[in-house]
Amino acid sequence: MSKKKLTKDWVGNYLKNNPSFLTDFVVKNVPLTMLLEWRKDKETRKSNVGKDGVFSGAVKSIQKMSKSQALPDLAVAEVGQRKTISDLKEFIEDPEKKESRQLQRKKTMGELTGPQQEDLFFELILDIAHELAVDALCNKILSNVAMLTGSDRCSLFLVRVSGKGQQFLESKLFESSDPAGRICTPMQEGGISVQIPFGKGIAGLVAQTKKPVNVVDAHKDERFNTEIDRKTGYRTKSLLTMPVFNFEGSVIGVAQIMNKQGGDEVFSKQDEWIFEKFLVFCGISLTNAELFGLSLSEFKMNKLLLVLTKGIFAEQTKLDSLTRRIMLDIHSIISCDRCIMYLVNFTASVEQDVEITKAYDLTVSDKTILNPSDDALKKFPATNFALQVARTGESHEFDAKNQEVEPLVSDTGYEIRSVMSMPVLDTHKHVVGVVQLINKFNNEAFNPSDIKTIATFALFCGLGIYNCRLYESMVKMIARQKVNLDVLSYYAAASDSETSDLVSSTVLKSQKLKLTALDFFDSSLSDSETAKAIITIFTELNFIEHFRIQTDILCRWILSVKKNYRPYPYHNWRHAVNVVQMMFYCITVGDVKSVLSELEKFALIVASVCHDLDYRPEIFRIKQPLQMLYSLQSVEHHYADQCIMLLNHEKTNVFHSLGTDEYRVVLELLESCILSADLTDFTKNIKSFQDIVSKEKVNWTVDYNRRLLRSMLMAGSDVCITCKPWSTQVKVVQAIFTDYCRLTEEGRPGGKPDKSGASVQKRMRTELPKMQVAFLDAVCLPLYLLLSNAFPLLKPTHDACLANRSQWKKHAEEAQRSAK
């Protein structure tokens, strides 16, 4: 039998006469991309697509979505993975069902004919494909689902992520039928969106397992939450729940349809098929809409941050003003009940710890900003979160509802339901503050978007605070420069001739100068002998030989220090001589040298000589350079700075022969000793020193114990006048009191010193004895008692102080009788 020759006409006629063969061939063999190219030509599309209207509609729908660019990549990723129309058919159709599509849709879409059903299906797809607003899109999805499946009610949940990375479902809309049309309303409880953890309830189970659940009678299923029906008065019977996927196959939501209308009121396999296929396109549209919403939100937030940042960087001179501005700006970004900004510093202890230097508490209702006290902050529960964030540098979130704990309650009765704490970092990534938002409005939890927004804003805040502190540092540097220039202009370094004279002088013995006597007083020494006394102390403690100190450098340093003490009634060079003599007495006669290292003794003697260096009373007056420089520190910082400034000069550096490590250690010891002369520091340490001394045997090898001992020795040497003979002490104390009265009178607004001295004399008779008794009881007697307990050879200091206390007590009683 001869074979027929194949020609184009013959093949064309065959395909026209056998359309089913053409359809099967195209479905099995033609790639979808080729089909899309065919669609560009209308004539080619009409002649080759044939009668398979449902696939024609699907391709048409996909092409329209691509052209509109609503789903440019997502549609290709989800649908375009089907290489042929056969694959697309398997994707849209139920492969297990081979009945006529016309009959299947007639069962699920009412009395519509097959073509009408196809048009409706793809019309609904296009309806959601062009919607980019999430809320409006959810509304359309529910309305369309109800129309396709013939359900009475629908609901939609979207997947959200908590601050700890845990996924949960958040209700978006609840769609119900109404005689006037379908109504979509937010699904909420008490104004809050319903939140369902993964794995809880039917919706949570579907989100977790990614598998649909079809329930014939919901109230007979233990997984169903009947509480919602009880609150709404609605009776849920049949319930079909399905996951919504994105193009990566991850669950982004869960949709539910309830109570099938008509027939047996049960959702069939065909309903499941329709529901599932429509949700594929819903997932693509939801992903696009959320991406668009995120992009729009980012644009708005960036615009707002630019405005706020401009405001932050406009205020760079005062940290207080900057912080208050930050507080108000944060509230404008995220609405919450209360906002606190903590400014922090890290303490210089052995174990780095954080301390709150200041806090700003904004109450949103009346927009007042308060500065809570330290005690108030310690009692406030949320302060612990701020300290934790400052230590770790990591944000912290507290949500009583999601964490299933009771809200925190402050001592004032304020209830804390949710807290978000965010660190504020400077340009060096150091924590300089903590921003804390408390109780978001509408009882909601702070979401990841809030955290991201505040983290971004905190970054700009950190830069602003850093710049502001840098400006304040510059102001202090200028003040320091003025102080140093004043120092240099007032004092002259010791001349070579003065230094030579002291170098060539004979070194006197301590016995001749009475340096080892408790009743020593500087009045027994001439002006030149005061300088020689320091050389004697250095010699007999073997500092000159042990530390290889050049004699000319030592002499020039002593004379330069002497010149740097101003001639005030008490805080002068001779007071420094008395203090260093008392330190020498404690080290030698009191046998304290047995527990101290050579470097410690060296640092204590140098610190005693310089402990009041460049004392000036104006440091206590406002708007003076010194006061601006040390307003938040003790005055001893100025003395330490002046001491180190002299040591920085090679001709007056008595530490010149020390190695690098020894030099660093002795400078740290020196500064610590000078600062410990501050009585504020003394009151902090005396309790700890008492605990140490009360032990049967003190372990002086412990660094902490020796640090406290050095502090007590500096304090005891500084107040040594209290254990001098009564005749000596009363004159010195009266001089100190006169100077004190002058300072207090000048420090008052409009105050002027009383040149006649009458007011001072009156106060000296009535106030001084009582004040001196109180000072001895609170400071001197406990101090010398502890030192004598630790070193029994120092007991004479306590006895002498106690004898002077009896004298002052007698004068105080006489003043009291005179007042009556």
Side-chain angles (χ1 to χ4, degrees):
M1 183 177 178
S2 62
K3 295 182 179 180
K4 293 184 178 180
K5 185 178 180 180
L6 296 179
T7 62
K8 288 185 178 180
D9 293 338
W10 187 90
V11 172
N13 291 329
Y14 179 83
L15 292 177
K16 289 178 182 179
N17 296 327
N18 298 275
S20 58
F21 171 81
L22 174 60
T23 301
D24 291 339
F25 179 83
V26 171
V27 166
K28 293 178 181 179
N29 299 287
V30 178
L32 179 60
T33 54
M34 184 178 291
L35 182 60
L36 291 175
E37 290 295 327
W38 290 352
R39 293 285 297 176
K40 294 179 181 179
D41 183 0
K42 293 183 178 181
E43 294 297 325
T44 304
R45 182 175 68 245
K46 289 181 180 180
S47 62
N48 290 331
V49 169
K51 299 180 180 180
D52 200 345
V54 66
F55 304 118
S56 174
V59 174
K60 180 179 179 181
S61 173
I62 295 170
Q63 185 186 29
K64 284 187 177 181
M65 285 188 282
S66 298
K67 287 184 177 180
S68 66
Q69 295 183 351
L71 311 170
D73 297 321
L74 300 181
V76 174
E78 180 68 16
V79 181
Q81 292 176 357
R82 279 72 188 177
K83 301 301 182 183
T84 66
I85 297 180
S86 177
D87 295 332
L88 180 63
K89 180 178 180 181
E90 291 178 2
F91 173 67
I92 295 180
E93 282 195 310
D94 183 357
E96 297 180 357
K97 296 288 185 177
K98 300 300 181 182
E99 294 86 1
S100 169
R101 293 191 303 275
Q102 304 287 351
L103 295 176
Q104 288 177 337
R105 285 178 173 77
K106 191 170 184 179
K107 293 179 181 178
T108 57
M109 300 188 195
E111 298 301 323
L112 294 177
T113 62
Q116 291 174 326
Q117 293 173 352
E118 296 165 8
D119 291 341
L120 173 62
F121 188 80
F122 293 112
E123 182 181 344
L124 297 182
I125 291 176
L126 289 176
D127 185 41
I128 64 173
H130 293 86
E131 184 58 66
L132 291 176
V134 174
D135 289 340
L137 176 61
C138 292
N139 192 338
K140 288 185 177 182
I141 289 174
L142 292 183
S143 299
N144 294 348
V145 164
M147 185 181 301
L148 287 171
T149 60
S151 56
D152 182 47
R153 291 195 177 188
C154 310
S155 61
L156 181 63
F157 301 86
L158 297 184
V159 174
R160 296 290 182 253
V161 181
S162 67
K164 294 184 177 181
Q166 297 177 341
Q167 290 183 313
F168 63 90
L169 294 175
E170 181 183 59
S171 62
K172 287 301 293 181
L173 291 174
F174 181 84
E175 197 271 350
S176 62
S177 59
D178 184 82
R182 293 196 172 269
I183 301 174
C184 288
T185 57
M187 185 187 293
Q188 297 178 338
E189 286 184 337
I192 306 175
S193 299
V194 177
Q195 295 181 355
I196 303 174
F198 270 37
K200 186 176 182 180
I202 295 179
L205 179 65
V206 168
Q208 186 180 59
T209 62
K210 300 183 180 181
K211 295 181 180 180
V213 172
N214 192 346
V215 178
V216 176
D217 191 341
H219 284 263
K220 293 181 180 180
D221 194 310
E222 61 182 9
R223 298 168 298 181
F224 179 70
N225 184 7
T226 59
E227 185 66 17
I228 296 178
D229 275 10
R230 189 186 65 79
K231 290 181 178 180
T232 61
Y234 183 78
R235 174 73 180 185
T236 302
K237 187 176 181 182
S238 56
L239 177 66
L240 177 57
T241 308
M242 283 198 173
V244 182
F245 299 101
N246 63 7
F247 70 96
E248 294 177 334
S250 301
V251 176
I252 60 171
V254 171
Q256 289 183 323
I257 53 178
M258 291 159 274
N259 293 355
K260 173 74 173 181
Q261 298 296 296
D264 56 4
E265 298 184 352
V266 175
F267 292 108
S268 64
K269 290 291 184 180
Q270 181 63 21
D271 294 325
E272 292 183 21
W273 171 72
I274 290 289
F275 196 19
E276 179 184 5
K277 301 313 173 188
F278 186 72
L279 289 182
V280 169
F281 295 95
C282 295
I284 297 173
S285 297
L286 278 171
T287 302
N288 259 7
E290 291 204 321
L291 288 174
F292 177 78
L294 181 63
S295 176
L296 186 62
S297 176
E298 289 285 342
F299 172 77
K300 292 180 179 178
M301 187 53 59
N302 290 339
K303 185 177 180 180
L304 177 60
L305 285 173
L306 286 174
V307 175
L308 298 179
T309 303
K310 182 179 178 181
I312 289 175
F313 286 99
E315 180 56 71
Q316 295 285 283
T317 58
K318 294 182 179 179
L319 185 58
D320 185 76
S321 301
L322 171 67
T323 308
R324 291 177 181 274
R325 185 161 192 165
I326 289 174
M327 300 288 291
L328 296 173
D329 288 344
I330 290 177
H331 167 248
S332 66
I333 295 178
I334 297 180
S335 298
C336 59
D337 184 42
R338 197 167 174 181
C339 178
I340 302 178
M341 169 70 82
Y342 301 87
L343 299 182
V344 301
N345 274 333
F346 286 87
T347 60
S349 59
V350 177
E351 294 183 1
Q352 288 286 323
D353 198 8
V354 66
E355 62 177 357
I356 298 173
T357 58
K358 199 168 186 179
Y360 299 81
D361 189 351
L362 167 67
T363 303
V364 175
S365 57
D366 54 6
K367 293 186 178 180
T368 57
I369 299 178
L370 304 177
N371 298 116
S373 63
D374 292 343
D375 290 337
L377 288 174
K378 290 178 181 178
K379 295 178 182 178
F380 192 64
T383 302
N384 292 330
F385 298 148
L387 291 173
Q388 177 183 337
V389 170
R391 292 188 184 101
T392 62
E394 302 289 338
S395 62
H396 178 273
E397 184 180 0
F398 169 80
D399 189 331
K401 180 180 178 182
N402 288 341
Q403 296 173 4
E404 297 181 351
V405 296
E406 292 295 324
L408 304 176
V409 181
S410 68
D411 59 334
T412 60
Y414 180 78
E415 187 177 274
I416 301 174
R417 299 179 299 277
S418 60
V419 181
M420 184 172 68
S421 305
M422 185 68 60
V424 178
L425 308 178
D426 63 12
T427 55
H428 303 294
K429 304 299 181 183
H430 297 151
V431 178
V432 295
V434 176
V435 178
Q436 195 170 78
L437 305 181
I438 302 176
N439 292 348
K440 188 175 180 180
F441 287 161
N442 300 324
N443 294 329
E444 294 182 357
F446 293 102
N447 54 46
S449 177
D450 297 332
I451 296 175
K452 182 179 179 181
T453 300
I454 291 302
T456 305
F457 185 67
L459 176 63
F460 291 102
C461 293
L463 296 176
I465 292 175
Y466 175 79
N467 289 342
C468 197
R469 284 183 168 175
L470 188 63
Y471 176 84
E472 291 181 344
S473 298
M474 291 177 62
V475 172
K476 286 189 175 183
M477 287 178 63
I478 294 172
R480 188 187 302 274
Q481 184 182 28
K482 289 181 179 179
V483 172
N484 290 336
L485 288 173
D486 185 44
V487 171
L488 294 175
S489 63
Y490 184 87
Y491 306 112
S495 65
D496 292 339
S497 60
E498 288 177 314
T499 303
S500 299
D501 290 343
L502 186 58
V503 169
S504 60
S505 65
T506 304
V507 178
L508 304 175
K509 296 294 184 179
S510 59
Q511 289 80 2
K512 182 177 181 179
L513 298 174
K514 294 187 64 175
L515 295 178
T516 56
L518 181 61
D519 61 353
F520 168 87
F521 194 64
D522 68 274
S523 59
S524 63
L525 303 180
S526 66
D527 188 59
S528 62
E529 286 178 334
T530 57
K532 293 179 182 180
I534 308 300
I535 298 177
T536 299
I537 290 173
F538 269 70
T539 302
E540 297 196 4
L541 288 175
N542 200 32
F543 290 162
I544 296 176
E545 181 179 349
H546 184 83
F547 295 109
R548 304 183 302 280
I549 305 174
Q550 296 179 21
T551 307
D552 60 328
I553 291 179
L554 174 61
C555 293
R556 186 176 282 106
W557 174 76
I558 293 172
L559 293 174
S560 298
V561 171
K562 180 173 179 290
K563 288 179 177 293
N564 275 268
Y565 272 97
R566 301 196 183 207
Y568 286 105
Y570 178 69
H571 296 89
N572 50 39
W573 165 247
R574 286 186 170 270
H575 168 63
V577 173
N578 289 324
V579 173
V580 73
Q581 182 274 331
M582 186 63 175
M583 183 64 72
F584 179 68
Y585 172 86
C586 292
I587 291 174
T588 56
V589 178
D591 197 32
V592 180
K593 63 183 178 183
S594 61
V595 301
L596 295 175
S597 68
E598 292 301 315
L599 272 182
E600 286 176 310
K601 289 184 284 185
F602 195 12
L604 282 168
I605 292 298
V606 174
S608 300
V609 177
C610 301
H611 79 286
D612 276 340
L613 194 60
D614 192 42
Y615 167 84
R616 282 183 279 171
E618 58 260 35
I619 195 171
F620 303 104
R621 299 173 188 158
I622 62 173
K623 296 184 179 179
Q624 294 292 323
L626 273 174
Q627 194 275 338
M628 293 172 61
L629 187 58
Y630 299 106
S631 60
L632 299 179
Q633 298 174 320
S634 65
V635 66
E636 279 71 20
H637 282 83
H638 175 61
Y639 307 149
D641 288 346
Q642 298 310 303
C643 175
I644 293 174
M645 184 183 70
L646 280 178
L647 293 171
N648 284 335
H649 197 286
E650 61 180 2
K651 291 186 177 181
T652 54
N653 185 7
V654 293
F655 299 150
H656 64 89
S657 66
L658 298 179
T660 303
D661 293 337
E662 283 185 321
Y663 193 86
R664 176 183 56 80
V665 171
V666 78
L667 282 183
E668 291 176 355
L669 290 171
L670 175 65
E671 184 177 22
S672 174
C673 290
I674 294 177
L675 296 182
S676 64
D678 179 21
L679 287 181
T680 302
D681 189 62
F682 161 77
T683 56
K684 294 178 182 177
N685 293 331
I686 191 169
K687 179 66 171 62
S688 300
F689 188 68
Q690 183 179 6
D691 295 339
I692 293 172
V693 174
S694 63
K695 296 179 181 178
E696 185 175 349
K697 186 176 181 181
V698 181
N699 184 3
W700 293 115
T701 62
V702 177
D703 290 341
Y704 178 72
N705 295 349
R706 293 208 311 279
R707 183 180 71 80
L708 288 176
L709 173 60
R710 296 193 300 268
S711 176
M712 296 300 106
L713 289 172
M714 285 298 300
S717 299
D718 194 20
V719 297
C720 64
I721 190 62
T722 61
C723 56
K724 300 297 180 181
W726 169 253
S727 59
T728 300
Q729 181 188 166
V730 69
K731 292 179 182 179
V732 175
V733 171
Q734 288 176 349
I736 297 172
F737 189 74
T738 301
D739 195 36
Y740 165 76
C741 292
R742 180 179 63 83
L743 285 175
T744 54
E745 289 174 357
E746 291 180 0
R748 293 196 306 266
K752 297 180 179 179
D754 181 7
K755 295 182 179 180
S756 66
S759 62
V760 174
Q761 293 297 324
K762 180 179 179 181
R763 293 181 65 187
M764 191 177 297
R765 290 192 305 271
T766 58
E767 299 178 22
L768 178 58
K770 184 178 179 181
M771 292 172 60
Q772 196 65 14
V773 170
F775 177 66
L776 293 174
D777 288 343
V779 177
C780 303
L781 286 172
L783 171 60
Y784 289 127
L785 178 62
L786 291 176
L787 286 173
S788 61
N789 288 341
F791 301 92
L793 293 177
L794 291 177
K795 189 176 185 300
T797 60
H798 181 261
D799 295 340
C801 186
L802 194 60
N804 286 327
R805 196 256 185 204
S806 299
Q807 294 289 340
W808 286 115
K809 180 66 175 177
K810 184 188 302 183
H811 283 74
E813 291 172 350
E814 291 176 358
Q816 188 175 8
R817 286 193 296 269
S818 299
K820 293 180 179 180

